Amino acid sequence: MFSAPGNDFMGGGGPGGAMEASFKEFLARPENQPILEKHQRKEVKQALKLQEKIHALKFRSTVLDSDYDAQLSIAPFLKNRVLKKVVMTFANDPNGDFEQWAKNPRVIEMLSTAQKMMDEGRMTEDEMEEYFIRLLKDPSNEFHEEFEAKTRQVARLPTDQLVQALNEHLVERRKGNDAYRKGAFAEALHHYVRAKSIVDLVQGLSQADQIEVISNRIAVNCNIAAVNLATKDFGAAVRACDDALELDPECQKALARKAKALIGRHEYDAADQVTEHLRDLNMLSEELPEIEKLMRVTKVQDKKSEASFRNMFGNSTQ
């Protein structure tokens, strides 16, 4: 559906096609890349600002539609910049139950305590905002997952703007691929992370557009996993594979790389489970023999290391 940079979006010949080709040639010049990137960033920022306005209107409508008790409960906190942000998240309840949050005694007590601490000068608004963010980012916090989902900024773009964003993402991935092939893994990771930051920020308006976005998210997470495998950062490789598998649990490339990363971490049982899943999906996968060989070699190395350690320990006690 989407074309890589340099492909003809308009198609056909004639003056229009020639003008399009000339314009694409202009954009493809390295010296013009900063101009193109600046324009694309501006479009994404405009889309985000529009979404913020829409969210504000949605919040106002939600409050006005709620019952009197809910409005009364949250009213004192809407004058405070930080607490208003917290209250606005109530409107994001997946079940549309704003009132449940607005009238929750525990939530109101927390907001009241925070308000009192700022009123008494014990914490500034900036300090309180940082505290809330740090608290909710803690994975052990019961509201962590909900906070992460609700605070993740995403720009919902029409197809033409989405094409531009995805093409910018593809440019970064290709630079990452070139660096990876040269063995410049730090440079490759830099470009892959940039590509991921772009594709994680956008969302398609149509189902077809969103499928394309998800496909690119999966691909860039697999790219990041490959770099981390090459640098033996196996924990980061597992996390990148998990990000891909969250989007597509049957992504064979992510499963294969996760199995290799788990072997690198010497988590053999977990690696076996992932490998079996891959085998169930495709028993002819070219990755399976490589994974099995890596498992055998790594286990042999473990035994040699263990024997060497025992000998050293034994010699030291003599």
Side-chain angles (χ1 to χ4, degrees):
M1 173 184 145
F2 293 101
S3 301
N7 288 350
D8 190 355
F9 285 108
M10 292 176 64
M19 183 180 297
E20 179 74 4
S22 176
F23 181 63
K24 285 180 188 255
E25 190 273 331
F26 170 80
L27 294 178
R29 294 175 190 168
E31 64 269 22
N32 295 327
Q33 282 300 306
I35 300 174
L36 176 61
E37 290 182 5
K38 182 179 179 181
H39 176 70
Q40 290 171 336
R41 285 194 295 270
K42 181 179 178 182
E43 287 188 331
V44 172
K45 286 180 180 179
Q46 289 174 340
L48 286 172
K49 286 183 180 179
L50 178 60
Q51 280 190 232
E52 288 176 1
K53 290 181 180 179
I54 293 172
H55 288 158
L57 291 172
K58 176 188 173 185
F59 173 68
R60 182 175 183 274
S61 176
T62 301
V63 172
L64 293 177
D65 289 342
S66 64
D67 65 29
Y68 177 75
D69 289 339
Q71 295 180 28
L72 190 65
S73 295
I74 65 166
F77 310 118
L78 298 183
K79 298 178 182 178
N80 181 285
R81 174 180 63 85
V82 177
L83 300 184
K84 182 178 179 180
K85 287 183 179 179
V86 176
V87 174
M88 287 182 73
T89 66
F90 300 170
N92 296 333
D93 182 83
N95 298 318
D97 200 344
F98 173 83
E99 295 176 3
Q100 177 185 355
W101 291 92
K103 295 191 289 186
N104 185 309
R106 183 181 172 193
V107 171
I108 299 303
E109 181 183 3
M110 178 191 70
L111 292 173
S112 298
T113 301
Q115 179 74 70
K116 183 178 180 182
M117 292 180 71
M118 286 184 281
D119 288 345
E120 294 177 352
R122 290 152 61 189
M123 291 184 77
T124 65
E125 287 189 355
D126 289 341
E127 289 171 339
M128 182 61 71
E129 183 171 25
E130 183 180 349
Y131 170 77
F132 270 122
I133 292 173
R134 191 167 62 248
L135 177 68
L136 292 169
K137 279 189 173 181
D138 180 359
S140 64
N141 187 285
E142 62 180 304
F143 300 115
H144 169 71
E145 291 187 7
E146 185 175 1
F147 173 78
E148 287 291 301
K150 290 180 180 179
T151 57
R152 189 182 297 120
Q153 278 193 317
V154 176
R156 302 186 73 235
L157 302 178
T159 300
D160 57 342
Q161 293 181 16
L162 186 62
V163 167
Q164 293 176 2
L166 289 184
N167 278 344
E168 182 181 351
H169 150 88
L170 288 172
V171 167
E172 290 296 334
R173 273 181 54 202
R174 286 167 182 159
K175 289 179 180 177
N177 291 343
D178 290 341
Y180 182 87
R181 282 190 286 268
K182 295 174 184 176
F185 299 125
E187 181 185 348
L189 183 60
H190 168 75
H191 288 299
Y192 289 147
V193 169
R194 284 196 63 180
K196 177 177 169 62
S197 70
I198 296 169
V199 78
D200 281 350
L201 182 66
V202 299
Q203 182 175 338
L205 293 179
S206 71
Q207 184 179 7
D209 284 359
Q210 187 58 15
I211 288 173
E212 189 71 21
V213 170
I214 291 173
S215 174
N216 280 278
R217 286 179 184 171
I218 293 168
V220 76
N221 280 311
C222 287
N223 290 144
I224 291 172
V227 173
N228 288 321
L229 278 173
T231 58
K232 299 187 184 304
D233 190 347
F234 299 120
V238 169
R239 289 192 293 273
C241 291
D242 284 340
D243 286 343
L245 292 168
E246 185 177 346
L247 297 169
D248 179 9
E250 297 186 354
C251 176
Q252 295 182 31
K253 188 174 291 186
L255 287 169
R257 291 176 185 176
K258 182 175 181 178
K260 293 175 183 178
L262 289 169
I263 292 171
R265 288 167 61 91
H266 309 282
E267 297 178 17
Y268 301 126
D269 290 342
D272 280 336
Q273 291 179 5
V274 175
T275 304
E276 282 304 309
H277 188 187
L278 175 60
R279 184 176 287 107
D280 290 341
L281 292 172
N282 181 9
M283 63 183 300
L284 300 178
S285 170
E286 295 179 356
E287 297 280 2
L288 288 172
E290 187 176 342
I291 294 169
E292 291 164 356
K293 180 180 177 180
L294 180 63
M295 178 78 82
R296 288 195 301 271
V297 170
T298 306
K299 285 185 175 181
V300 169
Q301 290 174 345
D302 281 355
K303 289 181 180 179
K304 288 181 178 179
S305 298
E306 185 180 348
S308 177
F309 178 78
R310 280 201 307 269
N311 290 336
M312 290 174 60
F313 184 77
N315 291 335
S316 67
T317 58
Q318 292 177 358

